[in-house]
Amino acid sequence: LHDNQLVPDAPIAYRAATRILRLLFDMHRPESVLDVGCGLGIWLSVARSMGVGDIQGVEGPWLNPKTLYIEPAHVLTRDLEHPFDLGRRYELVISLEVAEHLKPDRAESFVENLVRHGDMVLFSAAIPYQGGHNHLNEQWPAYWADMFRTRGYRCLDVIRPGIWEDAEIFWHLRQNILLFVSEI
């Protein structure tokens, strides 16, 4: 997945991250960002270029540090099939097109991992029939929104209207990206 998709798609991902984070940061500029399933660290690199000094990524053990867009010290290796706790919170947690790669029985605890680490979560996951490498749990957005709602998070559809017709952003992000914010 990394060498065959993420590396070749990196320029497109960088443009998408720039446009989406610019929209989000116009609403709220975080001081710290955690990206769970950060891939090459592109979103963290863009966040840092926009003034976020405190960045952290989490990625699986398959990551090749030579392909990172950020320093390897900013990426922790974790198996996302298991719960994790980094012992702190971030102003923004990002997890994009990651959850569908985990076993269905892992969905609840994965969402718990995200909300444990921050009050604002930028999230997307593949929908049914989207297809992709190792998609084990493609679900409609309502499935994920319900999990966040039971944890006190409101779904805000504030990004998609600003990017819906932007052909330079991956179609699956334009379709799936949502913001969840704690109401507690």
Side-chain angles (χ1 to χ4, degrees):
L1 175 65
H2 280 237
D3 290 339
N4 294 329
Q5 183 179 347
L6 296 183
V7 171
D9 286 349
I12 300 166
Y14 194 90
R15 282 194 306 272
T18 300
R19 291 177 180 176
I20 292 170
L21 289 180
R22 188 174 297 131
L23 276 173
L24 182 59
F25 288 11
D26 282 347
M27 293 177 250
H28 173 75
R29 182 173 302 273
E31 301 273 329
S32 58
V33 175
L34 170 66
D35 189 346
V36 179
C38 69
L40 307 179
I42 290 171
W43 288 73
L44 293 170
S45 172
V46 170
R48 183 170 51 197
S49 76
M50 293 180 172
V52 178
D54 184 2
I55 59 169
Q56 182 65 61
V58 177
E59 185 54 87
W62 44 80
L63 177 66
N64 177 353
K66 293 178 182 173
T67 62
L68 284 171
Y69 277 62
I70 57 173
E71 297 79 14
H74 289 290
V75 180
L76 301 172
T77 302
R78 297 287 188 278
D79 181 350
L80 298 180
E81 286 286 351
H82 301 287
F84 67 91
D85 186 346
L86 302 181
R88 64 165 289 196
R89 294 179 65 76
Y90 296 81
E91 284 190 46
L92 173 64
V93 176
I94 300 172
S95 186
L96 303 174
E97 302 296 307
V98 174
E100 71 273 9
H101 295 278
L102 305 175
K103 294 175 188 159
D105 66 353
R106 177 70 179 99
E108 291 273 355
S109 59
F110 183 69
V111 170
E112 188 62 39
N113 279 348
L114 300 178
V115 302
R116 172 183 302 121
H117 290 95
D119 290 335
M120 184 170 24
V121 181
L122 186 63
F123 180 85
S124 73
I127 63 168
Y129 313 108
Q130 181 173 311
H133 176 75
N134 200 37
H135 283 194
L136 305 173
N137 192 22
E138 292 182 344
Q139 298 289 340
W140 298 112
Y143 170 87
W144 300 106
D146 188 52
M147 286 186 199
F148 279 96
R149 185 174 40 259
T150 63
R151 289 161 176 80
Y153 284 68
R154 175 182 291 203
C155 179
L156 302 176
D157 192 4
V158 294
I159 302 296
R160 294 188 312 171
I163 64 171
W164 190 256
E165 295 184 23
D166 189 337
E168 298 221 352
I169 295 176
F170 294 117
W171 66 267
H172 54 274
L173 283 178
R174 289 185 282 148
Q175 172 181 273
N176 301 337
I177 198 163
L178 297 167
L179 184 67
F180 294 95
V181 178
S182 175
E183 295 186 294
I184 300 172

